[in-house]
Amino acid sequence: MSYRITVHSLLLSAAIILPIQHSTALAETTAQAAEQVIPHELKPPQKDIAQIDENLDGYFEEKPYQIPMVLNDSVENHMEYFKTRGRDVFQKWLDRSARYIPVMKDIFREKNLPEDLVYVAMIESGFNPYAISWARAVGPWQFMPETGKLYGLKIDWWVDERKDPIKSTQAAAEHLKDLHNLFGSWPLAMASYNAGAGKVQRAVLRTRSEDFWDLKASRYIRRETKNYVPKYMAATIIAKNPEAYGFAIQPYDLFVFDEVIISESIDLRLAARCAGTTYDVIKELNPELKRWVTPPDATNYILRVPKGTGDQFSASFASIPADQKIRWERHLVAKGETLAGIATQYNTSPEAIRDINNLKKNRIIPGKHLLIPVDANAKQQDVSYLSPDQTGKKQQILYRVRRGDNLTRIASKHDVTVADIRQWNDGIRSVRAGQKIKLVVDVDRI
């Protein structure tokens, strides 16, 4: 049996069918009937399932959900999955959510949008700033490059703001607002976030319905999109009252920080020393940085440092002599160039270039870029403190093989070896277009 339960429907039926003095009795009778239909283990807490439509503001002092929930077979199935086979993964999502939800909710509140939209990030990425889909969607909100740039996110060789929890949430809020303005429905807006507005518009025209559940019952949207809204509702119901479903949120440091303005490029290890912290902490606060330096072309870059260390950083950085700071160049390797020749060109050493770029031997590939340490005073730099084991964390991704790809081309594109790819994929010898394979890549290079 498929059923949907929302409080506003109960309220309206009580008001229309019976006189006012009998409405309370009818609501109690209807609620008791619902109690008998919904299996106990799937039934959300009564105070949480109470939904209020935007047109019925004022019936209750507080709305448990800003977006009306529906409890039907599809939502129940996703809840059951999260509680059983997907339990470990959902627990990780909950744990990570405690770090980012407060700052994300603030953004939606400032834009006069429902705060519960933060749970879209839960089903998109599990609140993981480094999440990457097989289609190369990136970040907690899984923006594709074109959509990210459309909403003001900078994506280049140095930074990818899709990974930034704050900037990407601001972009996601604007995107969801535009989709809601287009469809006038949050379920359809979410379906469009997953599939694209054009596909949902065509499905609406073909079904002649503006109800997501009618679209779900049709053949005009993909299975992934059909499951997207029920998955969101199931995740939201559990995440807003995890204890009722056997989950517990573990303590997690909030995403808080100080901001300092950098007028010149700075290595993140040097930044960590100035702030009295570690490279990993600086990198986690600034996930948009794809390299281990701030962009050389950004004259007023805002860098995040641990809360309470902003003044210490500024004082320490100001005291460092200019000849002890490193300037960085991005060099495009041309055909015929050697590592020694490039080192001579920039007055540095082949060892420094090799270590910083994590190269194997002195092999360089035409068309690739190298990060070069340069001193303004034309002196060779001491880069011994830039240990290559600090260049970032590894992330497993699913790569969808494209037409014309082979193992050698894929390996070169992702700075790995063919042997690595074979090891990660049970010794595969060849690939075909459309196939998905596992890759382990440096998140700094994504």
Side-chain angles (χ1 to χ4, degrees), residues 175-205 207 209-212 215 221 225:
H175 187 26
L176 285 164
K177 180 190 292 185
D178 287 345
L179 293 173
H180 185 262
N181 289 340
L182 179 63
F183 291 100
S185 157
W186 283 119
L188 289 182
M190 291 179 196
S192 300
Y193 191 93
N194 173 256
K199 292 180 180 179
V200 174
Q201 282 179 315
R202 287 191 292 272
V204 167
L205 290 174
T207 59
S209 173
E210 296 181 352
D211 187 327
F212 167 79
L215 268 62
I221 57 176
T225 306

Side-chain angles (χ1 to χ4, degrees), residues 171-446:
E174 292 297 331
H175 187 26
L176 285 164
K177 180 190 292 185
D178 287 345
L179 293 173
H180 185 262
N181 289 340
L182 179 63
F183 291 100
S185 157
W186 283 119
L188 289 182
M190 291 179 196
S192 300
Y193 191 93
N194 173 256
K199 292 180 180 179
V200 174
Q201 282 179 315
R202 287 191 292 272
V204 167
L205 290 174
R206 288 171 178 171
T207 59
R208 299 181 181 180
S209 173
E210 296 181 352
D211 187 327
F212 167 79
W213 303 103
D214 290 336
L215 268 62
K216 185 180 186 304
S218 76
R219 58 185 177 87
Y220 299 119
I221 57 176
R222 297 178 303 167
R223 180 177 178 181
E224 177 187 336
T225 306
K226 291 180 179 183
N227 288 329
Y228 193 82
V229 173
K231 185 178 180 181
Y232 163 81
M233 291 183 175
T236 302
I237 290 171
I238 296 176
K240 296 201 74 169
N241 200 344
E243 294 82 3
Y245 300 94
F247 292 95
I249 299 180
Q250 303 300 322
Y252 218 101
D253 292 336
L254 293 177
F255 192 65
V256 294
F257 45 82
D258 286 350
E259 292 182 336
V260 293
I261 297 178
I262 305 297
S263 58
E264 57 189 297
S265 182
I266 180 175
D267 185 278
L268 299 189
R269 295 155 193 77
L270 180 59
R273 291 197 306 181
C274 291
T277 186
T278 65
Y279 166 83
D280 286 339
V281 170
I282 295 293
K283 195 71 177 67
E284 188 176 9
L285 290 173
N286 300 273
E288 70 174 43
L289 292 172
K290 296 171 70 173
R291 315 296 159 181
W292 48 95
V293 293
T294 59
D297 58 344
T299 55
N300 288 289
Y301 186 81
I302 298 178
L303 183 72
R304 297 174 187 148
V305 295
K307 188 73 174 176
T309 67
D311 291 341
Q312 173 187 340
F313 173 91
S314 298
S316 297
F317 187 64
S319 67
I320 298 175
D323 60 0
Q324 293 184 20
K325 298 177 182 177
I326 298 176
R327 180 169 61 84
W328 299 91
E329 292 283 351
R330 178 193 183 197
H331 179 84
L332 177 63
V333 178
K335 188 175 182 179
E337 283 190 311
T338 64
L339 199 61
I342 296 172
T344 300
Q345 179 181 341
Y346 290 97
N347 195 41
T348 186
S349 66
E351 293 76 19
I353 298 176
R354 186 177 61 235
D355 290 345
I356 289 167
N357 292 277
N358 201 23
L359 300 176
K360 298 177 180 179
K361 299 183 179 180
N362 288 334
R363 180 172 173 266
I364 55 176
I365 302 173
K368 292 282 186 178
H369 287 90
L370 297 174
L371 202 57
I372 311 293
V374 181
D375 174 49
N377 298 317
K379 295 188 297 184
Q380 285 200 12
Q381 289 292 323
D382 176 13
V383 294
S384 58
Y385 73 94
L386 306 182
S387 55
D389 62 344
Q390 292 179 312
T391 55
K393 299 178 181 179
K394 297 292 184 179
Q395 171 88 19
Q396 179 177 299
I397 66 172
L398 281 178
Y399 174 78
R400 187 173 187 177
V401 179
R402 301 173 182 176
R403 183 176 298 178
D405 274 348
N406 55 39
L407 292 179
T408 301
R409 184 171 297 175
I410 296 171
S412 175
K413 186 186 303 182
H414 294 88
D415 291 322
V416 298
T417 67
V418 172
D420 289 334
I421 297 177
R422 287 174 176 160
Q423 180 182 351
W424 298 327
N425 295 274
D426 301 323
I428 60 171
R429 309 299 297 180
S430 61
V431 292
R432 65 182 184 279
Q435 180 182 359
K436 296 178 185 177
I437 62 174
K438 295 178 183 177
L439 298 177
V440 180
V441 298
D442 189 335
V443 296
D444 287 347
R445 296 181 179 274
I446 296 171

